[in-house]
Structure formats: C-alpha cells, structure tokens
Amino acid sequence: MPRNSRSSLLKQEVLDIIRDKILYLELKPGESILDMELAKELEVSRTPVREALLFLKEANFIDIYPQSGTFVSLIDINLIREVIYLRHIIECELLLNLPDEKTNIAGRVERYIVLQELAVKEGNHKEYVKNDHLFHRELFDIAGHRRSWDLMQSQYIHTIRFHMLDFYHSNTVFATSLQEHKEIVACIESRDKKSLKELLDIHHDCELRTADILKAEYPTYFL
C-alpha cells in the first residue's frame, strides 16, 4: 500500500476508534481527554490523534478550551430531540409508502434481528445499538433511500449516547425495542399502515420519555 494511502487509512482508523469511545461511553461526557495518552494507547503518533480531535470538535463531540484542556462534549437533549424528530418524519414517510410489490422484508433484516437477540441475551448494549442502526438503515435501503440515511448519520449518531444510557438504565428497554422491531417488520409485510404508524410513533420516541430520569441519574452528562 502506498505510504499516503496508509497514512490516510491510519487517520481514519484513529478517528473511528476515538469517536466510538465517545459514542459508546468508554469516554464519558465531560471527561478530560489527553492526546498523549490516546496516542500511547493506540500506538500512534500524536498527529493523527490531534487531527481526529479537531474533526470531532467540528462535529460537536468534544470541546477544546485553550489553557484548560480537551473534554468530551456533554449530551445536548434539544439536539437529540430535533434529530429524532427529523428521522421520525422521514422514516414514517418512507415506510408508510412502500410499494405493494416490496417483498421479503423479513429476509432483508433477519441478520440484524438475530444479532439484536444475541445482544439482548448477552446484555451487550453496544452491539444492540449498532445493530439497531443497521436494522433501520436496511429499511431505508429497502425503501430506495439509503442515501437519505447516510445523509442523516452525521447528526443522528449524536443519539447513540442517549440510547446507551437508556439501555444501561433499564434492561427492559432492550426487549421492548427488539419486540417493536419485529412488529414493525410484521406491519410492513401485512400492509397494516394504521398499526405501523402507531408503532413508529412509539418506537421513535420523539418526546424522549426517559430524558428527565436519565438527567436526574446522570446529571453531569447533560448540558
């Protein structure tokens, strides 16, 4: 592999690793970040780490204060509500208007359902959330709008930390979310648009029903 290509790959790998540490709460909201420690942990120079941190600052995942340090950004509930509302509007429009000839929805999403079931069984929050997103991405793809999902991702991934805390707070959220995924598929395949709309209203949770509970339990994690 050419040196420049390897360098670009390294930068992306470092960025992905640090972003995942933030998204899946290995690095907690408000936690101090030291580029030297991250570089040592990842066995890279400080340059790709610093570049990753600057990118994550622009994406609102970290805050950099001159003379004070670098910190994981706090969770912005208002941003999350807006992003989830936008996703709700788009996904409802797509799924409620799928052409009748669309078939084998269950077959297309089966892999993600199985992986979610395994994550629930093992209590693996990270894997559940990852496959939750892949499940919905596949639904967008089935509807012929994969690019719409990809366009949303730069903002929608901000919801991951909230959902991780939600799952940590109550294991019943796991099973409820999984059951709703199965019912969404059943409603699509049976063309039951009325039940599908009602289910999506509940599943997307635009009002963030547990927000106040999580803010009370993790007060230092939120703006």
Side-chain angles (χ1 to χ4, degrees):
M1 179 181 295
R3 184 173 180 177
N4 287 343
S5 297
R6 176 56 192 163
S7 177
S8 298
L9 180 60
L10 177 62
K11 291 177 184 178
Q12 187 62 48
E13 289 172 341
V14 169
L15 172 60
D16 290 344
I17 290 170
I18 297 174
R19 181 168 48 202
D20 274 9
K21 285 178 177 289
I22 294 172
L23 291 177
Y24 297 104
L25 303 179
E26 186 176 339
L27 291 171
K28 305 294 192 296
E31 184 174 340
S32 175
I33 298 176
L34 298 176
D35 58 4
M36 186 179 299
E37 290 186 359
L38 278 174
K40 183 177 180 180
E41 177 186 343
L42 300 179
E43 299 181 335
V44 297
S45 72
R46 295 171 69 180
T47 299
V49 172
R50 287 174 173 173
E51 291 177 349
L53 293 178
L54 287 173
F55 180 91
L56 292 170
K57 178 182 183 296
E58 293 301 314
N60 297 314
F61 285 113
I62 68 166
D63 297 310
I64 299 176
Y65 301 106
Q67 312 304 320
S68 296
T70 300
F71 302 87
V72 178
S73 67
L74 300 181
I75 298 172
D76 184 344
I77 286 293
N78 291 328
L79 171 61
I80 292 172
R81 280 199 178 98
E82 291 296 327
V83 173
I84 288 179
Y85 176 72
L86 177 62
R87 175 270 187 100
H88 173 68
I89 295 300
I90 296 173
E91 191 162 8
C92 283
E93 177 69 19
L94 296 183
L95 298 187
L96 290 169
N97 291 285
L98 281 173
D100 289 341
E101 64 267 18
K102 292 288 183 181
T103 58
N104 196 29
I105 305 295
R108 292 278 299 270
V109 300
E110 180 182 10
R111 168 184 173 80
Y112 307 117
I113 294 290
V114 170
L115 290 173
Q116 287 169 55
E117 289 175 332
L118 181 61
V120 170
K121 182 179 180 180
E122 296 178 345
N124 191 326
H125 305 82
K126 180 177 180 178
E127 286 304 311
Y128 186 89
V129 172
K130 281 186 173 182
N131 284 288
D132 180 316
H133 281 226
L134 291 172
F135 169 83
H136 286 283
R137 185 185 71 178
E138 190 66 26
L139 292 180
F140 271 66
D141 198 25
I142 290 168
H145 289 274
R146 169 66 179 275
R147 286 186 177 180
S148 295
W149 176 267
D150 292 340
L151 287 169
M152 281 197 315
Q153 279 305 284
S154 64
Q155 296 302 313
Y156 190 67
I157 57 175
H158 280 279
T159 68
I160 290 177
R161 295 192 295 172
F162 180 86
H163 289 140
M164 287 290 291
L165 287 178
D166 212 4
F167 288 134
Y168 279 132
H169 175 74
S170 173
N171 284 331
T172 62
V173 178
F174 257 156
T176 300
S177 175
L178 176 57
Q179 182 59 33
E180 287 171 358
H181 285 164
K182 293 178 179 179
E183 291 175 7
I184 286 170
V185 174
C187 286
I188 294 173
E189 293 203 316
S190 65
R191 308 302 172 197
D192 185 352
K193 293 187 177 182
K194 180 176 181 296
S195 296
L196 177 59
K197 178 61 169 65
E198 293 172 351
L199 184 57
L200 291 173
D201 286 344
I202 295 170
H203 184 68
H204 291 153
D205 187 20
C206 293
E207 296 303 316
L208 300 182
R209 293 183 296 270
T210 60
D212 289 340
I213 295 172
L214 295 178
K215 288 173 73 174
E217 185 167 346
Y218 306 97
T220 63
Y221 286 6
F222 294 88
L223 285 175

